[in-house]
Amino acid sequence: MSLPIFRRIDHVGIAVRDLDASIDFYVATFGLTVAGRETNDEQGVREAMLLVGAEQGQSVSDAPGGASYVQLLEPLADDTPVGKFLAARGEGVHHIGYGVDDVAATLEQLRADGIRLVDERPRHGSLGASIAFLHPKSVTGVLTELVQAASAST
Ligand code: V0V
Ligand code: CO
């Protein structure tokens, strides 16, 4: 597999207690555009992807491939990754999602390199992406997500 494995920063995931209030804050204060909202039962979250860097009047569907997002994450329950994080640390940066060309192939390589994986196979992510997590204890304390975007190759 060619290097670099990380092609770009797809999104920064932020744990919040109140999704709707947090969306309003980011939109009103920083002018971000809501690209999508989903409930992901497998991941235990309600989340929203907010496009960074859209031009005034540009619709989300016009966003260039390789766009970057802020992902706001509200837990569905206390006993979920984001619920436990909020209880332990409060609101804040939860994970970084990097664009990769091929999640499954990347997982295979990183496993061979001895990186601790959270996911052994790709999962369903927001905006139709294929995702997988690497354990923070193996990545300098940062929960790290591999993101293969739905449409773009990276
Ligand atoms: C926990 N730890 C973290 C962390 N969460 N460190 C950095 N960043 C985080 N977000 C540390 C924690 O401080 C402990 O360190 C240790 O890991 C064990 O923590 P724990 O509370 O006992 O948690 P675990 O072990 O039950 O679970 C931790 C993992 C879990 C990372 C395995 O959060 C997980 O499976 N995450 C992946 C799924 C996920 O986060 N989904 C929500 C986003 P000490 O105290 O022992 O030193 S979904 C998403 O992003 C989507 C859908 C998308 O982008 O499309
Ligand atoms: Co994410």
Side-chain angles (χ1 to χ4, degrees):
M1 179 180 297
S2 61
L3 295 175
I5 288 173
F6 292 163
R7 297 296 195 172
R8 62 192 176 79
I9 293 178
D10 182 273
H11 66 269
V12 175
I14 300 176
V16 301
R17 296 191 192 283
D18 183 332
L19 181 63
D20 296 325
S22 301
I23 291 171
D24 288 348
F25 170 74
Y26 273 84
V27 169
T29 309
F30 302 118
L32 302 190
T33 308
V34 180
R37 298 181 56 140
E38 288 175 47
T39 296
N40 188 321
D41 291 316
E42 185 182 35
Q43 299 293 338
V45 292
R46 282 207 311 143
E47 54 90 11
M49 291 292 256
L50 276 55
L51 180 65
V52 177
E55 297 298 323
Q56 193 116 36
Q58 181 188 32
S59 78
V60 167
S61 57
D62 293 333
S68 300
Y69 303 88
V70 170
Q71 181 177 45
L72 300 175
L73 303 153
E74 181 192 280
L76 291 176
D78 292 342
D79 188 23
T80 59
V82 176
K84 290 171 73 174
F85 181 93
L86 278 174
R89 305 192 190 193
E91 293 189 313
V93 174
H94 179 258
H95 66 269
I96 298 177
Y98 294 94
V100 302
D101 291 337
D102 183 330
V103 172
T106 303
L107 280 176
E108 208 168 300
Q109 171 168 339
L110 295 176
R111 185 195 293 109
D113 288 346
I115 304 295
R116 185 171 161 193
L117 310 181
V118 172
D119 297 306
E120 294 290 329
R121 59 179 177 80
R123 312 277 175 184
H124 165 74
S126 66
L127 305 177
S130 186
I131 64 170
F133 285 92
L134 311 179
H135 200 283
K137 295 295 179 195
S138 213
V139 194
T140 65
V142 179
L143 177 60
T144 299
E145 180 183 346
L146 309 176
V147 182
Q148 184 181 342
S151 48
S153 62
T154 55

